């Protein structure tokens, strides 16, 4: 059986925002459908649900399962469900649910707060992989969020006993921290969009992109023409979005682009202030990015 992750073009899997309502207290299910259509229309091959940009770690397990169900119904392309949680039982339960609803893959980031050594982290990831088997399983490496690194040694431990390990989602920075994973012979999605040209040249299969949550067309263009200029353009756009809280910027831009996505975020995160919105508008105008008035 052919893998949906082996294609003749670099894959764009959008690390989607999660539309919320009631001040961030509830999932806005109705907004997911036009949002999924917008992403597909602007070059996305699929969606990465409940990840960092999707506020997944702030949602309850039940909310995450419901979010995955709604995205599965709305997304016609690939759906990778992020199932990383604080404990192994919760992570495994989320992974099993993702398999039950027909997701195309599961991804898991190391549980934050307690830094796990290689044996403990490998055991955690193997349990998650087993819970969703034979569904493809991706290890999600992002030390800036988990608080500690996934090492190549952990990947090797998991690969030895988890036959459904399908690849890696690597959001490390600087690029030198991405390179060891690209040399492991596993499919790699790069998370830092400015690294797209170098990562593709080194064999990456595409990007799981948080910037694409608001700008799928820009990231698609960088994947299709991964030259030095593409890296610089995408770096400038990400810098503009990150000059204030990034996920709040994503939801603001989505609303400006005509999507029914409100500014609501799960507390303790917050929407942009008036001044931040003005600064973001000015920065985007300086990049000659046009948004509806």
């Amino acid at each position: 059986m052919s893998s949906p992750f082996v294609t003749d073009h670099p894959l764009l899997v959008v690390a989607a925002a999660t539309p919320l309502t009631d001040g961030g207290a509830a999932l806005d299910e109705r907004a997911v459908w036009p949002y999924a259509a917008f992403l597909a229309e602007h070059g996305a091959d699929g969606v990465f649900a409940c990840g960092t940009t999707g506020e997944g770690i702030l949602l309850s397990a039940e909310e995450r399962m419901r979010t995955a169900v709604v995205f599965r119904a709305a997304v016609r392309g690939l759906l990778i469900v992020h199932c990383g949680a604080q404990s192994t039982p919760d992570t495994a339960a989320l992974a099993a649910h993702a398999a039950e609803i027909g997701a195309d893959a599961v991804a898991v980031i190391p549980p934050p707060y307690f830094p796990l050594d290689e044996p403990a982290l490998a055991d955690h990831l193997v349990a998650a992989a087993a819970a969703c088997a034979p569904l493809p399983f991706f290890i999600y490496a992002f030390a800036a969020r988990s608080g500690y690194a996934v090492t190549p040694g952990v990947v090797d431990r998991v690969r030895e006993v988890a036959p459904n390990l399908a690849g890696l989602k690597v959001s490390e920075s600087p690029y030198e921290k991405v390179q060891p994973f690209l040399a492991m012979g596993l499919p790699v999605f790069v998370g830092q969009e400015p690294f797209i040209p170098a990562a593709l040249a080194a064999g990456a299969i595409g990007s799981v992109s948080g910037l694409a949550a608001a700008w799928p067309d820009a990231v698609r263009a960088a994947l299709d023409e991964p030259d030095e200029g593409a890296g610089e353009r995408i770096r400038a756009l990400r810098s503009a979005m990150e000059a204030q809280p990034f996920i709040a910027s994503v939801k603001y831009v989505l609303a400006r682009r005509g999507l029914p996505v409100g500014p609501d975020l799960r507390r303790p995160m917050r929407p942009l202030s008036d001044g931040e919105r003005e600064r973001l508008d000015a920065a985007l105008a300086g990049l000659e990015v046009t948004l509806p008035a």
Side-chain angles (χ1 to χ4, degrees):
M1 182 181 296
S2 63
S3 169
F5 302 101
V6 176
T7 69
D8 59 359
H9 68 279
L11 289 169
L12 172 56
V13 179
V14 176
T18 301
L20 299 175
T21 189
D22 297 338
L27 173 66
D28 187 353
E29 295 189 13
R30 291 179 297 179
V32 171
W33 295 80
Y35 181 36
F38 164 82
L39 296 175
E41 290 164 4
H42 289 82
D45 295 294
V47 161
F48 185 92
C50 296
T52 302
T53 309
E55 303 171 66
I57 204 72
L58 294 178
L59 307 179
S60 70
E62 292 76 14
E63 288 174 319
R64 292 174 70 171
M65 290 179 182
R66 182 59 188 168
T67 300
V69 166
V70 177
F71 270 106
R72 176 67 290 174
V75 172
R76 295 291 177 262
L78 296 169
L79 177 67
I80 303 175
V81 179
H82 172 244
C83 298
Q86 192 68 64
S87 73
T88 301
D90 285 350
T91 303
L94 289 165
H97 177 264
E100 290 169 3
I101 66 169
D104 295 290
V106 159
V108 168
I109 197 171
Y113 194 80
F114 296 105
L116 302 181
D117 62 13
E118 283 194 0
L121 179 54
D123 286 349
H124 172 80
L125 294 170
V126 167
C132 68
L135 199 70
F137 179 78
F138 285 81
I139 298 172
Y140 179 9
F142 194 6
R145 294 295 173 266
S146 62
Y148 55 100
V150 173
T151 64
V154 166
V155 177
D156 284 335
R157 285 172 180 262
V158 176
R159 179 158 48 177
E160 288 176 2
V161 294
N164 59 324
L165 178 64
L168 310 167
K169 193 266 191 182
V170 181
S171 294
E172 305 295 19
S173 183
Y175 182 69
E176 288 72 23
K177 293 185 177 180
V178 179
Q179 289 174 309
F181 297 103
L182 290 164
M184 296 194 73
L186 286 166
V188 172
F189 285 107
V190 66
Q192 298 286 343
E193 298 87 2
F195 300 161
I196 283 173
L200 290 182
I205 63 171
S207 179
V208 172
S209 166
L211 184 62
W215 302 104
D217 34 11
V219 182
R220 179 76 266 167
L223 286 164
D224 290 344
E225 296 186 23
D227 54 20
E228 184 176 344
E232 291 304 317
R233 288 189 296 273
I234 214 76
R235 181 176 288 106
L237 185 55
R238 176 167 268 283
S239 179
M241 295 288 285
E242 287 182 328
Q244 51 287 314
F246 178 75
I247 301 171
S249 295
V250 165
K251 291 189 173 182
Y252 174 70
V253 167
L254 287 172
R256 289 290 310 275
R257 297 193 74 173
L259 277 296
V261 176
D264 309 68
L265 290 100
R266 177 58 55 90
R267 294 184 67 182
M269 293 199 295
R270 62 168 179 83
L272 299 183
S273 67
D274 290 344
E276 287 168 335
R277 290 193 293 270
E278 291 171 1
R279 286 194 294 274
L280 177 55
D281 285 340
L284 294 174
L287 296 174
E288 299 182 349
V289 174
T290 303
L291 290 171

